[in-house]
Amino acid sequence: MENVIKINQNSTYDHIQAFLNDLESENTKKSYEAAISDFFKWKYKKIPMEFINPTHLNSLTYPAMKGYRSSLRKKYSCNTVNNRMNALYSLLKDLVKIQERGQYVYTYRLNDLRLKPLKNTDAEEYGYVEWEEVTRWIDYLLNSNQRNKEGKAAMFHIGRLTGIRKEGLSQLDFTDLVKEDGVWTLRSDLKGNKYKFALQNKDAQMLLKLKTTDDPKEKIFKMSVKTIERLFKHILEVFKIPEERNIALHSLRGLAIYEAYEASGKDILVAQKLAGHENIETTYGYIKKRRDLHAQPTLYMGKEFNNESVNELSDDDWKKIYNNLSRSAKYEIQKLIQ
């Protein structure tokens, strides 16, 4: 392709606007503009995009691009992250062709800045949370003075129960909560994908208590995606969750998928159906890391089984032991009881 020479463009901001104006679709322009603006805010902090110059872009490095993508992964799905990175690379590909007075304005090496697109199986790299940990978040919210504390607590519970993404959670309204054949169901329709989850009566009643009007389209949690993100950031700060744990809102989805796997007797097909994954390898990506950690043989190797100590346990001792078992072990016991 021949080099593109743009005349009378005196700043990087002008170059960016020229790139955006050349895009065919208005929707594409808006999404690209949002992605590019987000990158500059992350990389250059308080410098407005209007004041970004070629020197800023010429100093871009591979670690910087990787760091930016890591920040996106804490907020968005793999597909969304890839789309945002593609928007950024499209801009960089366009800018690197620009000449002024016979000299290239941008001298970065584009190939050195490229990252491989994420695969859905990369989701396992999100940090994971335990069911009991989320329960502590819920208890904190219910005992706080926050507005809509019941809605916020319910959002975390439904998130860990169904694995619905934050966009889907924010869109749920009371027409999505219906009773079918005596069973309460929660329906989620996001980006053309339809999901249906059976709920216990107590969970359905918890949601119904959030209803404040006669409008059937009233939102269940009454929170936008931005509000959910701010709430999650608050939880991370209150509970002093270390950054290296890499906990993200998407971790709730990972928890739901793993719980479905454990509750079904380790049936990955059940977990796949709950997650709505077309490819079972995607589901496996969510389960593998946590399963491998819990299955480490060093946790039980060399231990002897002492039946006499078991026989000496009182009912209260058994209850205490049961309460301290892993959720996987509890599920197994529940199956045997039934």
Side-chain angles (χ1 to χ4, degrees):
M1 181 178 290
E2 295 181 359
N3 291 330
V4 176
I5 302 177
K6 298 183 179 179
I7 309 300
N8 297 326
Q9 301 292 338
N10 298 316
S11 72
T12 296
Y13 181 74
D14 292 330
H15 296 152
I16 294 172
Q17 293 305 310
F19 164 75
L20 293 172
N21 290 332
D22 282 343
L23 297 174
E24 295 180 1
S25 164
E26 187 64 27
N27 288 335
T28 301
K29 178 180 177 181
K30 288 180 179 179
S31 64
Y32 273 42
E33 187 170 20
I36 292 166
S37 175
D38 184 64
F39 171 74
F40 284 119
K41 287 178 182 178
W42 176 86
K43 182 69 173 74
Y44 303 110
K45 305 301 186 270
K46 297 181 180 180
I47 302 176
M49 192 161 69
E50 292 84 347
F51 295 101
I52 298 297
N53 60 51
T55 302
H56 290 112
L57 294 187
N58 289 338
S59 63
L60 287 177
T61 63
Y62 178 82
M65 304 301 287
K66 199 169 183 179
Y68 175 61
R69 190 178 70 175
S70 294
S71 73
L72 291 178
R73 294 182 69 183
K74 295 180 180 181
K75 303 177 184 178
Y76 306 111
S77 67
C78 291
N79 287 338
T80 301
V81 172
N82 286 337
N83 289 339
R84 291 202 161 215
M85 295 302 295
N86 285 338
L88 186 56
Y89 285 129
S90 293
L91 170 69
L92 296 177
K93 183 178 179 180
D94 185 84
L95 296 186
V96 80
K97 300 173 184 176
I98 297 175
Q99 293 185 30
E100 289 182 357
R101 295 183 292 276
Q103 299 291 324
Y104 285 104
V105 176
Y106 302 96
T107 58
Y108 50 79
R109 294 168 59 92
L110 183 57
N111 287 338
D112 290 346
L113 301 179
R114 286 194 181 278
L115 303 171
K116 290 183 179 180
L118 294 175
K119 298 179 180 178
N120 283 328
T121 51
D122 291 335
E124 68 180 78
E125 293 185 17
Y126 282 114
Y128 58 83
V129 293
E130 300 289 348
W131 187 275
E132 292 80 6
E133 184 175 13
V134 180
T135 297
R136 290 193 290 274
W137 301 352
I138 291 171
D139 290 342
Y140 160 76
L141 290 169
L142 290 175
N143 290 292
S144 72
N145 295 319
Q146 292 199 23
R147 292 175 53 192
N148 188 27
K149 61 183 181 181
E150 290 83 5
K152 292 175 179 177
M155 185 278 297
F156 274 117
H157 177 59
I158 295 300
R160 71 176 174 178
L161 194 65
T162 64
I164 298 175
R165 294 182 175 87
K166 60 185 176 182
E167 295 86 356
L169 291 169
S170 70
Q171 293 176 14
L172 290 173
D173 62 48
F174 283 98
T175 64
D176 296 315
L177 181 63
V178 296
K179 206 167 191 179
E180 301 180 9
D181 296 327
V183 178
W184 283 102
T185 61
L186 186 64
R187 298 177 299 191
S188 175
D189 185 356
L190 184 63
K191 296 182 179 179
N193 296 317
K194 298 181 183 296
Y195 305 93
K196 184 188 294 185
F197 306 92
L199 296 182
Q200 295 183 50
N201 184 66
K202 63 182 179 65
D203 292 326
Q205 295 304 319
M206 172 190 67
L207 298 182
L208 289 171
K209 288 179 181 179
L210 301 176
K211 191 166 178 54
T212 58
T213 71
D214 294 329
D215 181 4
K217 299 292 288 183
E218 176 187 345
K219 299 296 184 185
I220 293 180
F221 301 119
K222 302 169 184 64
M223 288 187 287
S224 66
V225 172
K226 291 294 184 183
T227 301
I228 293 175
E229 289 174 349
R230 286 195 295 269
L231 172 62
F232 188 75
K233 183 178 180 182
H234 175 70
I235 290 295
L236 293 179
E237 292 171 351
V238 168
F239 286 85
K240 297 181 172 57
I241 297 175
E243 186 174 347
E244 55 266 26
R245 282 187 62 189
N246 198 27
I247 302 300
L249 272 165
H250 204 76
S251 298
L252 289 178
R253 180 167 170 79
L255 173 59
I257 293 170
Y258 188 73
E259 285 288 314
Y261 172 72
E262 290 289 346
S264 63
K266 302 187 183 335
D267 188 337
I268 196 170
L269 294 177
V270 172
Q272 180 188 14
K273 185 173 182 179
L274 177 129
H277 292 150
E278 292 184 6
N279 191 331
I280 200 169
E281 289 184 5
T282 305
T283 309
Y284 180 67
Y286 280 88
I287 294 170
K288 181 179 182 297
K289 184 177 179 181
R290 186 181 300 206
R291 187 202 62 180
D292 287 351
L293 181 62
H294 287 186
Q296 284 286 328
T298 51
L299 293 176
Y300 54 84
M301 285 169 58
K303 290 188 177 181
E304 296 182 1
F305 299 99
N306 188 339
N307 292 332
E308 290 184 7
S309 62
V310 171
N311 295 333
E312 294 172 358
L313 292 175
S314 66
D315 288 347
D316 286 340
D317 290 333
W318 272 114
K319 289 176 182 178
K320 289 179 182 178
I321 290 173
Y322 177 81
N323 289 333
N324 287 316
L325 290 174
S326 68
R327 292 188 65 80
S328 177
K330 288 179 180 178
Y331 281 132
E332 189 66 25
I333 290 174
Q334 288 294 334
K335 284 175 58 181
L336 292 173
I337 291 173
Q338 292 171 3

